[in-house]
Amino acid sequence: MIDPLPLQVGIELLTHRYAYLLFALLLAIGLYIIIASSNLVKMIIGLNLFQTAIFLFFISTAYVTGGATPVIPKEAKAYDPFVSPLPQVIVLTAIVVGIALTAVALALIVRIYSAYGTLEEDTIREVRADE
Amino acid sequence: MSEHVVASYRPLAAVLVSALAVVLIIASHRRPNIREGWSVLAALTKFAIVASMAPGVLDGMEYRWSLGEFVFGIEFAFRADALGLLFAMLASFLWIFTAFYATGYMRGLDEHAQTRFFASFAASLSTAMGIAFAENLVVMFVFYELLSVVTYPLVAHDETEEARTAGRKYLAYTFFGGGFLVLGGSALVYWAAGTVQFGETAEGLRLLAETDPAIAQAIFAFLALGFGTKAAIMPLHSWLPDAMVAPTPVSGLLHAVAVVKSGAFGVARLLLDVYEPDLTVEIGMHLPLAALAAFTFLTASFIALRKDNLKRRLAYSTISQLSYIIMGIALLTPYGIVGGLLHIPAHAFMKLTLFFCAGAIHVETHTDDISDMAGIGKRMPLTMTAFTIAAAGMAGIPLVAGFVSKFYMLIGAVSMEAQLAGIIFAGSLILSGVLNIAYFWPVVYTAFFESEDEHDAKPLVDFPMGGTRESYGEEVAADGGEPGDEDESPHATDDDHHGDHEHDHHHHGPPPGGWERHKPWTESTWLMLMPIAVIVTGAVVLGVVPGMTGFLDLAIQISEAVLGTELGGVIG
Amino acid sequence: MSDPLVAAKLIPALLIVVPILAATLPLALGLRWERVGWYVTAIALAVEAALAGLLAYAIYGQGRRVVHVLGGKQFGRKDVMINGTPTEDFIVGIELVGDALSGLVVLVVAGVALAVLAYMRRAGPRGNAFYSGYLLLTGGLMGVAVTGDMFNLFVFLEITGLATYALVAADRSTDAAIAALKYLVIGTAGASMYLVGVGYLFVRTGTLNMVDLSRSLAGDPSWIDGALYADPLVAAAFGFVAAGLLTKAAIFPLHTWQPDAYAEAPDSVTVYISALVSTVAAYAFGRVALFVFTPDFFAANPALINGVLALAGASVVAGSALAATQRRIKRMFAYSSVAQFGLVVIAFAVAVHPASGDGAVRFGIYGAVFHLVAHAVIKGGLFATAGAIAAGDGSRRLSSYAGLARRRPFLSGAIAVLGLAIVGVPPTAGFVGKWYIAVAAVESGLWPVVGVVFASTVLTLLYVARILEKVYFDHRPDAVPDHGDASGEPTAGDATGGAVAADGGAPATRRVSLGMAAFVATAVVIAAVLGFGGAEIASALDPVVDAVQESAPAIEGVKTDAIWEVANNE
């Protein structure tokens, strides 16, 4: 016989909180790519995926069922309920930061590529060891 | 503890004089005469400043100077009290003569990096004063660490592999003792007592000892071993013999007086001013410490018997004599403390003489090993006479300094409450005196009563009873080698020596025709003979009229102050 | 006299805005004038230093707590209701805080930034883009120092990171690019971890302001029932935040980016980042631990802080041991930083540890902040000296330091003093921090920590003694600078050192500039004099100690009570 509580929690998670599952999954995939990939560009892709997962998490926390956009017109009396604007601002900022990072990373990779002619970390390591 | 504390710049000045000298020495590095002039001038000034405080301190005054708060809750302050003055007076007085001697020694050997040498030397004295006058554990730690740092260049002075190794070992030991044990102990004292001021910590520590005696004992052990490292207490002693690779003035003043005595001084502070005698007895730490000291001086004496290199033999003698001091104080009886404290100057005068003699022999004849010294008495009559007197004092023969202090220690030992322990300590003192004769007599005998072409093989203990007759030659060294212990075999030491001073010469021991006969005063330069003569005279004065020198009065004053008992008129 | 209070309130914002706006100027003006970068930077940083001085005066001289709310405007109208609450007088904004803790960091950042600029006048790297990055980095560091908002902290950490990655690779060597990329990947992963932690906190409390967060965690607002300290989500948040910040501070085993980055970066950049970048990260960790999570949180989760202590302790031991095995000077100093930041984190952790009484908290804070400042000066000075030596005669390896005392007596003396300072020989700055940390550890009764702290002196001596011995007591003829590196032990991955020695080998081509010498001399003097400032800095930190001990953040100023109820009321 199955213990009902974990089952219930599991079902709840799948039906109502699937965004969190997705977040964890994306995070794990991103981290895996960072660690496992020996291609520098793929590593950066992994990093982006990792960050995107976090953005997703923030956005999903802002959601309120039936909520309106958090823009309050002048003539409004009361707006109940509406989604939280803060996570959206945060994610916008974080995306900007992430893009800047990606740009710097790619600039570095371009320089490494022009020196070694490869993007494979293992190959670069071998070349450097030979030098 | 004293009634009169006077604000005064004198303790600070005593510290700063030689620090200033460091700057001047470096600034005048191109003009050796002026450079050495600074050393002498600073030494004289320093002694004058320290001595000017002596009458006041003997009247029960204390001189204090404070910079204000240094770290939270702890002042950076100097205070010249009786114990501090005892150490400061000794070190600054002997520095005067060492300054002359060092000049003669370094020039006699035409050593390199003399500016660094004299600058470090002056800095060492500065930090030694800081240790003497430190008002609390943290300030003492400041100078204790600085002393380790500024003496390192002196130990590694030769810049040979051997010197570097010795320097490495020196740093490792002293920083383990200082940076780990003393720092740790100080922090623990601060935690337990809320202060690190000498004379004020005992209360807090007593509370700790009541609730948690094991921790109080551990703190004591931290500090005792921490200071004991510099006093070369076993098993933390092995840096000292290695440090003998340093030039002889360093071995003399620093590794027989200032550095090692700062360790002994630290132990005295610990017993008398941090824990104070009552509490030390209460937590039962004085007997183990005294036993460790007794073990050290007996063992070191036995090792000294087997050393053929004169400086190494002296080093082990130093190890053993330092432990006299620690044991004397750790007895915590009135006479024990007086004896222990008095042994600080007594040993200093005698051992400095011995080292100066060894250095003079090295400079004049490039001889370092006792087995090469047969008949050297006629080459260096005054030096070897001084050596003989000082060696006699070491063994505790009356009329030389060592007798007085050992006498007090003996009384101190037998007057202990724990009578059995007292008798054991007294017995080991006497046994050690015999051993002292056993390792010093052969040197004297060799120098005066043997001749270059016929003498005993050395060290005596490595050969059958009664010795073996050998004629002089390399085969002696080869025979004398101890298998499996190349570091200590005479031969190896010879080789090391050659490596050290390639510019020196290519022979050691007597020249082919035997020692040239010299009259006293012509055997070496006055720069070296004058200090030897003065200091050996000092050793005799200390032995004949100890009451005239001030050291005995200071020792009695300290002992009476911490134990609160009158010592009466026995002394004088 | 116009109200100085109003003017003072602007300073925290200006500290960030001035360098970041100025960062555009070298590039923009560079189109017209070629060599404008250094001057623009000098002016901007002089202004910055003046601002920092004013802020310090307001904080320490007048005992103020300077708060600026970035974009802080009163929002809302009485008739607009949100969840039944009128929105009038509702203030939104990012708090920037100059208090007794951040004031010191601001001073250090401003001072070091200006000093390093003098150092790099001749030492390079040059180029207007480089100076833009340098100003951007300074702005980011200031931001980390003064921000009072968790997400804003992330942004400034990333600005700092971005600028650092770029600067590490500024001299166009490929090794530096690889080191920078490694740093970027690990640093970004760390920052992202931090962001996850912030997200968790936000989900649980609905606020990002540090003060409000600490109140919410304590269960202050009415809609939170009781303290949240036992909440697993909050514990997880601390785990992520700590992992992120400790990565940035290069604590073992998250330090792997740091030796490469320090060793491959241009010398001037190494001086700057070694003195400041990890410093502000460690400061951020301290701030978050002390004022956001607060000691009460760790009382409910002792395992977390014990974990931090274990990592920091391992950092001290491993960092020193690794430093002792290095042959290249810059790598040796880099690993030394791993160990020293271990000490700083130990001190912060002791200050918030549940086993700590009042005394341990006090000395923990003193020790952490003092050692942070002292390390910045000493390590900056050490790298600067190493850079000057490399510029002077191309020596970058321990083996080629043999006999340096005769060739470069002044720089050798600097290495000796600064090396002894990092060992903690009194009365240098390194000693005071170590003393405070040792006392804090003892007072807290955490005996394993006590052991590590006591042993750290001897551990540090392991590598410092190697250098001193080489410099002063080794004159092997094969180690003469002109052919020094060639005869040194061949090791893979020494392209930078070798290259410089090879083409810059003739000592005459590159000289130790006045700026470099002045920087080194200043660092030496400060390292020595600061040792006597232990009591002054301690008393300056007393407001911080009081705030932590009262455990209620002593804060006037703006309250941005979390009105946005987010996911937690679903």
Side-chain angles (χ1 to χ4, degrees):
Chain A
M1 160 152 188
I2 304 162
D3 189 5
L5 191 65
L7 192 66
Q8 211 179 343
V9 170
I11 290 171
E12 222 259 351
L13 202 62
L14 278 176
T15 52
H16 289 79
R17 314 269 174 167
Y18 51 86
Y20 294 149
L21 282 182
L22 202 58
F23 152 68
L25 193 67
L26 272 177
L27 204 70
I29 293 173
L31 203 58
Y32 176 78
I33 296 176
I34 296 173
I35 294 167
S37 169
S38 86
N39 184 306
L40 294 177
V41 172
K42 284 182 187 163
M43 207 195 272
I44 300 305
I45 293 174
L47 203 61
N48 275 324
L49 210 55
F50 189 76
Q51 290 185 310
T52 311
I54 300 169
F55 304 156
L56 184 69
F57 167 71
F58 268 89
I59 288 293
S60 66
T61 63
Y63 179 72
V64 177
T65 316
T69 46
V71 178
I72 305 177
K74 275 217 158 67
E75 64 275 14
K77 291 291 173 206
Y79 277 78
D80 264 340
F82 63 97
V83 297
S84 169
L86 197 51
Q88 311 191 17
V89 176
I90 286 173
V91 169
L92 273 176
T93 317
I95 288 173
V96 174
V97 171
I99 286 172
L101 276 167
T102 311
V104 172
L106 291 176
L108 291 171
I109 290 173
V110 166
R111 199 200 285 179
I112 294 169
Y113 184 79
S114 67
Y116 293 106
T118 175
L119 290 174
E120 293 296 317
E121 212 185 356
D122 301 342
T123 321
I124 293 172
R125 200 175 293 129
E126 275 170 35
V127 174
R128 290 180 73 188
D130 290 344
E131 271 173 1
Chain B
M1 266 169 290
S2 177
E3 312 75 48
H4 304 95
V5 178
V6 185
S8 165
Y9 281 99
R10 276 185 269 179
L12 175 71
V15 175
L16 285 188
V17 164
S18 40
L20 181 68
V22 173
V23 179
L24 294 170
I25 287 169
I26 294 173
S28 46
H29 65 105
R30 286 182 205 288
R31 310 168 79 172
N33 285 330
I34 296 180
R35 182 183 66 196
E36 270 81 293
W38 291 126
S39 279
V40 174
L41 190 66
L44 287 169
T45 320
K46 185 188 283 278
F47 178 67
I49 295 169
V50 174
S52 76
M53 289 187 282
V57 172
L58 281 169
D59 281 347
M61 296 216 299
E62 292 183 352
Y63 297 90
R64 183 173 188 275
W65 175 86
S66 171
L67 178 73
E69 208 177 22
F70 168 48
V71 290
F72 180 81
I74 295 167
E75 273 192 72
F76 193 92
F78 296 122
R79 181 197 290 254
D81 62 356
L83 183 54
L85 194 77
L86 176 82
F87 180 45
M89 232 164 74
L90 174 71
S92 59
F93 179 69
L94 293 179
W95 186 32
I96 302 174
F97 302 99
T98 313
F100 285 106
Y101 180 85
T103 311
Y105 183 91
M106 298 304 275
R107 292 188 181 180
L109 288 178
D110 197 19
E111 284 274 354
H112 63 275
Q114 290 196 19
T115 302
R116 183 178 76 199
F117 175 85
F118 283 107
S120 306
F121 214 110
S124 309
L125 264 295
S126 198
T127 53
M129 290 301 122
I131 291 173
F133 292 141
E135 195 192 41
N136 58 51
L137 262 177
V138 170
V139 177
M140 189 161 168
F141 172 73
V142 168
F143 288 99
Y144 196 75
E145 286 288 85
L146 281 176
L147 181 61
S148 306
V149 170
V150 295
T151 45
Y152 168 67
L154 298 171
V155 174
H157 176 84
D158 265 355
E159 301 182 2
T160 56
E161 190 53 43
E162 189 197 3
R164 278 197 297 274
T165 313
R168 226 174 283 158
K169 195 166 184 178
Y170 180 68
L171 273 188
Y173 272 81
T174 52
F175 270 77
F176 174 73
F180 180 74
L181 292 173
V182 176
L183 176 70
S186 305
L188 287 162
V189 166
Y190 186 71
W191 160 69
T195 173
V196 285
Q197 185 96 354
F198 292 133
E200 292 175 11
T201 50
E203 204 177 320
L205 289 168
R206 178 165 288 120
L207 286 176
L208 175 73
E210 278 162 16
T211 54
D212 219 336
I215 293 184
Q217 286 169 341
I219 300 176
F220 186 93
F222 257 67
L223 286 170
L225 286 177
F227 289 123
T229 310
K230 272 217 176 78
I233 200 164
M234 285 185 178
L236 297 167
H237 67 286
S238 84
W239 63 269
L240 184 58
D242 286 5
M244 289 301 139
V245 66
T248 306
V250 176
S251 311
L253 186 62
L254 298 179
H255 294 142
V257 183
V259 172
V260 291
K261 292 285 160 55
S262 75
F265 176 78
V267 174
R269 278 278 192 227
L270 168 70
L271 281 160
L272 304 180
D273 291 337
V274 176
Y275 269 74
E276 301 189 5
D278 297 354
L279 182 60
T280 313
V281 174
E282 211 171 283
I283 60 174
M285 289 305 280
H286 65 306
L287 287 181
L289 182 62
L292 184 62
F295 170 78
T296 303
F297 67 64
L298 286 178
T299 315
S301 300
F302 278 115
I303 298 175
L305 285 173
R306 301 170 66 90
K307 294 294 170 193
D308 189 41
N309 181 298
L310 183 57
K311 276 178 79 181
R312 278 193 173 251
R313 187 173 287 196
L314 291 179
Y316 277 97
S317 159
T318 304
I319 294 174
S320 100
Q321 300 285 332
L322 289 165
S323 283
Y324 283 170
I325 299 172
I326 292 178
M327 192 194 83
I329 299 169
L331 293 175
L332 290 178
T333 56
Y335 288 104
I337 293 177
V338 171
L341 292 174
L342 196 60
H343 203 58
I344 294 179
H347 169 248
F349 276 91
M350 298 182 298
K351 188 51 65 62
L352 196 58
T353 308
L354 294 175
F355 269 117
F356 280 4
C357 293
I361 295 169
H362 176 78
V363 171
E364 292 302 322
T365 71
H366 302 299
T367 305
D368 292 329
D369 292 345
I370 298 161
S371 49
D372 292 335
M373 289 183 186
I376 204 167
K378 58 182 184 233
R379 168 71 179 77
M380 312 199 75
L382 185 118
T383 308
M384 289 318 295
T385 310
F387 189 96
T388 310
I389 296 171
M394 283 290 181
I397 290 170
L399 294 185
V400 191
F403 166 71
V404 185
S405 49
K406 279 198 189 173
F407 180 68
Y408 284 128
M409 275 190 259
L410 275 175
I411 301 180
V414 292
S415 66
M416 279 180 81
E417 275 177 36
Q419 280 196 333
L420 179 64
I423 289 165
I424 293 173
F425 288 136
S428 45
L429 266 173
I430 292 167
L431 174 60
S432 147
V434 174
L435 288 170
N436 268 306
I437 295 176
Y439 63 76
F440 278 126
W441 176 248
V443 183
V444 177
Y445 180 78
T446 305
F448 285 115
F449 304 118
E450 288 186 336
S451 60
E452 297 87 320
D453 41 13
E454 202 180 25
H455 63 88
D456 290 344
K458 304 274 177 339
L460 292 173
V461 283
D462 288 338
F463 295 92
M465 286 291 270
T468 315
R469 302 299 285 180
E470 298 272 0
S471 61
Y472 179 78
E474 283 301 317
E475 66 276 12
V476 173
D479 286 349
E482 295 161 30
D485 195 0
E486 46 186 82
D487 213 27
E488 291 169 359
S489 82
H491 200 141
T493 320
D494 285 353
D495 288 348
D496 289 347
H497 170 73
H498 277 300
D500 297 354
H501 302 283
E502 284 162 33
H503 52 276
D504 281 357
H505 58 99
H506 290 287
H507 67 274
H508 51 76
W515 298 112
E516 198 182 333
R517 188 173 290 277
H518 274 259
K519 289 204 182 93
W521 299 110
T522 62
E523 63 196 60
S524 184
T525 57
W526 72 273
L527 278 173
M528 301 179 72
L529 291 177
M530 183 274 287
I532 293 177
V534 171
I535 290 168
V536 76
T537 312
V540 175
V541 168
L542 264 176
V544 179
V545 280
M548 305 280 283
T549 55
F551 288 118
L552 182 60
D553 294 336
L554 282 172
I556 292 170
Q557 189 181 335
I558 297 161
S559 172
E560 287 181 345
V562 294
L563 293 175
T565 48
E566 286 286 318
L567 275 171
V570 192
I571 296 165
Chain C
M1 184 172 125
S2 64
D3 186 4
L5 192 73
V6 176
K9 279 197 167 219
L10 279 176
I11 295 176
L14 287 175
L15 279 173
I16 300 167
V17 172
V18 167
I20 289 184
L21 283 184
T24 58
L25 293 180
L27 285 177
L29 299 178
L31 298 174
R32 177 78 181 73
W33 298 281
E34 205 172 314
R35 291 171 178 272
V36 76
W38 192 84
Y39 299 98
V40 171
T41 315
I43 293 167
L45 290 180
V47 173
E48 191 82 344
L51 287 171
L54 280 176
L55 184 70
Y57 173 71
I59 294 170
Y60 302 112
Q62 301 179 309
R64 288 225 194 99
R65 187 173 184 281
V66 183
V67 178
H68 177 85
V69 183
L70 208 59
K73 283 177 69 174
Q74 297 208 334
F75 273 88
R77 305 193 300 272
K78 199 180 277 175
D79 51 343
V80 175
M81 312 281 280
I82 292 173
N83 293 340
T85 315
T87 60
E88 199 186 18
D89 291 343
F90 160 66
I91 300 179
V92 180
I94 297 165
E95 265 191 345
L96 303 177
V97 184
D99 63 6
L101 189 56
S102 57
L104 269 177
V105 180
V106 166
L107 269 186
V108 171
V109 172
V112 173
L114 203 55
V116 173
L117 189 69
Y119 184 87
M120 63 177 50
R121 178 85 177 96
R122 290 283 298 277
R126 302 192 188 88
N128 290 325
F130 173 78
Y131 290 117
S132 289
Y134 187 74
L135 280 169
L136 194 63
L137 177 53
T138 310
L141 293 168
M142 285 293 182
V144 176
V146 298
T147 186
D149 182 284
M150 291 293 271
F151 179 73
N152 198 233
L153 179 58
F154 165 79
V155 174
F156 283 121
L157 277 176
E158 284 297 63
I159 291 178
T160 308
L162 267 172
T164 315
Y165 311 144
L167 292 188
V168 166
D171 73 348
R172 318 224 144 253
S173 92
T174 323
D175 285 320
I178 292 174
L181 189 67
K182 186 174 176 186
Y183 184 10
L184 184 145
V185 171
I186 298 177
T188 308
S192 304
M193 294 279 194
Y194 172 83
L195 190 58
V196 173
V198 171
Y200 283 2
L201 284 177
F202 179 65
V203 167
R204 198 67 193 87
T205 64
T207 179
L208 290 169
N209 181 292
M210 290 186 186
V211 176
D212 293 334
L213 256 176
S214 73
R215 289 213 182 102
S216 301
L217 291 178
D220 213 12
S222 51
W223 65 86
I224 294 174
D225 6 311
L228 297 174
Y229 295 137
D231 193 318
L233 196 61
V234 176
F238 176 77
F240 278 112
V241 166
L245 292 177
L246 295 184
T247 307
K248 292 266 178 185
I251 293 297
F252 180 87
L254 306 167
H255 68 283
T256 48
W257 58 269
Q258 187 249 34
D260 283 342
Y262 283 16
E264 303 300 347
D267 289 338
S268 324
V269 175
T270 312
V271 174
Y272 195 59
I273 61 177
S274 70
L276 295 180
V277 172
S278 287
T279 305
V280 297
Y283 153 82
F285 173 79
R287 176 153 217 116
V288 168
L290 285 168
F291 291 114
V292 176
F293 287 92
T294 71
D296 292 339
F297 168 77
F298 298 107
N301 301 281
L304 285 175
I305 198 67
N306 285 334
V308 171
L309 272 176
L311 284 186
S315 202
V316 173
V317 177
S320 303
L322 287 168
T325 61
Q326 299 303 314
R327 288 172 177 169
R328 292 168 62 191
I329 293 291
K330 279 175 82 176
R331 286 187 85 84
M332 188 183 276
F333 291 157
Y335 278 111
S336 153
S337 284
V338 174
Q340 299 301 320
F341 279 109
L343 277 178
V344 171
V345 171
I346 281 182
F348 275 129
V350 165
V352 296
H353 199 280
S356 298
D358 277 358
V361 172
R362 173 177 297 273
F363 285 106
I365 293 172
Y366 289 170
V369 179
F370 197 96
H371 204 57
L372 212 52
V373 174
H375 175 265
V377 173
I378 297 169
K379 193 52 66 64
L382 278 173
F383 274 115
T385 315
I389 291 168
D393 61 22
S395 308
R396 287 180 177 277
R397 309 176 139 272
L398 189 58
S399 55
S400 55
Y401 269 36
L404 193 71
R406 295 195 180 161
R407 307 199 299 272
R408 304 253 163 211
F410 169 72
L411 292 174
S412 302
I415 283 252
V417 174
L418 293 167
L420 292 170
I422 203 88
V423 173
V425 171
T428 59
F431 162 69
V432 180
K434 204 165 264 185
W435 167 256
Y436 283 144
I437 295 173
V439 172
V442 169
E443 297 237 359
S444 70
L446 301 163
W447 301 113
V449 179
V450 174
V452 170
V453 174
F454 286 174
S456 67
T457 307
V458 181
L459 289 170
T460 316
L461 189 70
L462 283 179
Y463 52 89
V464 174
R466 284 185 76 204
I467 301 176
L468 292 185
E469 186 184 304
K470 209 40 131 184
V471 169
Y472 280 97
F473 303 105
D474 199 340
H475 296 300
R476 280 196 317 233
D478 63 336
V480 170
D482 297 348
H483 36 97
D485 267 23
S487 65
E489 309 94 310
T491 315
D494 186 34
T496 317
V500 171
D503 55 31
T509 53
R510 289 222 277 165
R511 294 236 157 243
V512 179
S513 72
L514 184 67
M516 294 165 101
F519 184 96
V520 170
T522 313
V524 169
V525 169
I526 295 179
V529 172
L530 203 59
F532 290 93
E536 280 75 23
I537 290 192
S539 65
L541 286 170
D542 276 339
V544 182
V545 176
D546 295 341
V548 173
Q549 281 178 346
E550 285 157 21
S551 212
I555 278 152
E556 71 277 13
V558 205
K559 288 183 190 176
T560 51
D561 273 344
I563 292 187
W564 313 105
E565 289 179 44
V566 206
N568 59 343
N569 71 339
E570 269 185 18

